[in-house]
Amino acid sequence: MKKVAWITGAGSGIGAAMATGFAQAGYRVALTARNQSALEDVAAEMPSTQDVFIRAGDVTDRADMAQAAQDIAAWGGNLTVLCNNAGLNIPKRTWADLDWESWDQVIDVNITGALNVIAACLPIMRAQHDGVMIHTSSWAGRFHSPVSGVVYGASKHALSDLSLSLNDEEGKNGIRSTALCPAEVATPLLAKRPGFDTDKLAAMIQPEDMAKTAVFVAEMQPGISLPEIVLAPVRK
């Protein structure tokens, strides 16, 4: 039976690249994002459309994410890898630009959404005694990063700690967790950074680099966990 990888935020950027990377590595992939048509576009590029399951949804909807995990496991016969990738940043990033509505949205997606997806997978992975959770954190989740913003950095620090807590508590259940902490990745999210020069995108970490890293983590032998991987583009 092929292993199943569930990728959230799969409609573009890192998530879309992870979907392709896992499919090329022989996994069946389940894709989740809010935009159904974006997921269909990603699925159309997969090596085998029979090994792709589209399950649109919003990670902030706790009940729906719990159901999504069950739907995916029923479709694929297992749910072995979670790529907890859905994330958000905003233009108003400093204390001087405090904007409660958008800051709350970052927390809802980056922390509560991550919690919802983790909790949805845990019963399935515990029953299997097998599971790898890979969380797209950030350089800003490892080091303070003024350009990334106050609330985004706080949310990614929280996500990195959630990942460590899974290793601490769930290793006995065969579950391992890794926080990927990249600096600048050439995604639509980076292009929206205030003042960012989009001509520099080619010199940044590429989404495909993140996908290769995620597959590497998933393929690590079961007796080893990789709590954190920090990536950065070469400074020239």
Side-chain angles (χ1 to χ4, degrees), residues 95-114:
W95 284 111
D97 289 324
L98 173 60
D99 177 68
W100 284 119
E101 183 177 0
S102 62
W103 284 31
D104 284 344
Q105 189 178 13
V106 171
I107 291 169
D108 287 345
V109 174
N110 293 5
I111 302 178
T112 305

Side-chain angles (χ1 to χ4, degrees), residues 185-205:
V185 183
T187 66
L189 188 65
L190 179 63
K192 293 178 181 178
R193 177 187 289 178
F196 182 76
D197 181 0
T198 55
D199 290 340
K200 296 181 178 179
L201 286 173
M204 301 295 101
I205 300 167

Side-chain angles (χ1 to χ4, degrees), residues 69-102:
Q70 295 296 324
D71 292 346
I72 291 162
W75 164 74
N78 67 90
L79 205 179
T80 303
V81 177
L82 167 66
C83 291
N84 191 10
N85 176 70
L88 173 71
N89 206 352
I90 52 173
K92 295 182 178 180
R93 302 183 179 191
T94 68
W95 284 111
D97 289 324
L98 173 60
D99 177 68
W100 284 119
E101 183 177 0
S102 62

Side-chain angles (χ1 to χ4, degrees), residues 43-74:
E45 300 298 320
M46 297 292 102
S48 170
T49 55
Q50 293 183 343
D51 288 330
V52 182
F53 182 71
I54 293 175
R55 179 52 166 84
D58 187 331
V59 295
T60 64
D61 186 334
R62 183 166 297 152
D64 190 52
M65 288 302 99
Q67 185 60 55
Q70 295 296 324
D71 292 346
I72 291 162

